Amino acid sequence: MNSPFQTARELTATALPAEFAALAPPPLLLPGEHLDHYHALRQAIFADLAPRSAIEWLLAIDVAELSWEIQRYRMLRHKLLETYRQKAIEAALRQIDMVGIDPDFEHQAEYYTQQNALSWRIDPIAATEIDARLAAYGFDQDAITTEVYVQAREVLVLFEGLLNAAQTKRMLLLREIRHQRFVSAPMRRPH
């Protein structure tokens, strides 16, 4: 950053200027995330915002990072719902399969119930059979979904807060970019 500063016209490019690279390190990736996806998102945001000044570049970097976080929160929320759906299936199966079980066999029956719920999650054929069996006992998809949201409610509130906070910050940054452009725009004189 000790090199001569670029003009506003030179900074309008959509590639991150070298002097800002140290301010925009790639995020620590979670399993299943890909650096090329992050770079594609960041590049799309830079192209859309077309930063024109150092301040705009810094704001654009923050917008890109917040956008990545928002995508991450959404993906994690989706995975969370998948996990809780498996638990809801397990709870429904428990209500069907555990009725009248001899206490000596409860532990073994519980194990098989957990295995059936896992099979439901990873095996489409098993899922079809289990869904049909659950439906025969009155557990339709709406009942399962309701159980998912009941079980996951506290964690979903957490994710909703994270998403809302990140989206609010991103909107504030975008407003600040607009403000920077308005302030730096040459005043037009009426004719």
Side-chain angles (χ1 to χ4, degrees):
M1 296 205 38
N2 292 333
S3 61
F5 192 78
Q6 294 175 313
T7 66
R9 185 166 188 233
E10 292 170 326
L11 282 175
T12 305
T14 59
L16 183 65
E19 61 265 26
F20 296 119
L23 301 174
L28 296 174
L29 298 175
L30 296 177
E33 294 180 341
H34 303 281
L35 188 58
D36 56 330
H37 294 168
Y38 170 77
H39 286 296
L41 174 68
R42 187 174 78 171
Q43 190 59 35
I45 289 168
F46 290 169
D48 194 43
L49 295 178
R52 301 181 207 162
S53 68
I55 295 294
E56 285 186 19
W57 270 108
L58 294 172
L59 294 169
I61 290 166
D62 288 345
V63 169
E65 288 178 6
L66 283 167
S67 296
W68 182 256
E69 286 296 318
I70 289 168
Q71 290 302 101
R72 177 180 279 167
Y73 295 152
R74 288 177 179 157
M75 185 272 305
L76 292 173
R77 183 180 59 188
H78 178 75
K79 294 294 182 189
L80 175 82
L81 288 173
E82 285 179 6
T83 299
Y84 275 96
R85 190 160 198 85
Q86 178 182 337
K87 290 180 185 222
I89 294 292
E90 185 180 320
L93 287 171
R94 194 176 293 113
Q95 289 181 37
I96 296 168
D97 296 340
M98 301 291 286
V99 174
I101 290 288
D102 185 317
D104 294 337
F105 296 105
E106 277 185 12
H107 183 70
Q108 188 175 8
E110 179 68 26
Y111 172 79
Y112 284 115
T113 300
Q114 291 170 349
Q115 292 304 307
N116 285 335
L118 178 60
S119 294
W120 171 87
R121 185 172 181 181
I122 62 176
D123 181 357
I125 295 170
T128 301
E129 292 171 1
I130 291 170
D131 285 343
R133 192 158 148 252
L134 290 173
Y137 284 89
F139 293 98
D140 63 3
Q141 292 304 313
D142 292 335
I144 299 296
T145 299
T146 300
E147 181 65 22
V148 168
Y149 280 92
V150 167
Q151 287 184 17
R153 68 187 173 274
E154 290 178 17
V155 180
L156 288 173
V157 168
L158 170 73
F159 274 98
E160 192 65 28
L162 291 170
L163 279 165
N164 287 338
Q167 289 169 336
T168 299
K169 288 178 188 175
R170 184 170 61 180
M171 290 304 300
L172 290 172
L173 290 169
L174 292 170
R175 285 184 190 148
E176 183 59 27
I177 290 172
R178 272 197 312 263
H179 175 73
Q180 290 292 321
R181 289 182 180 172
F182 178 77
V183 168
S184 66
M187 297 294 288
R188 295 184 185 172
R189 296 184 184 168
H191 293 117

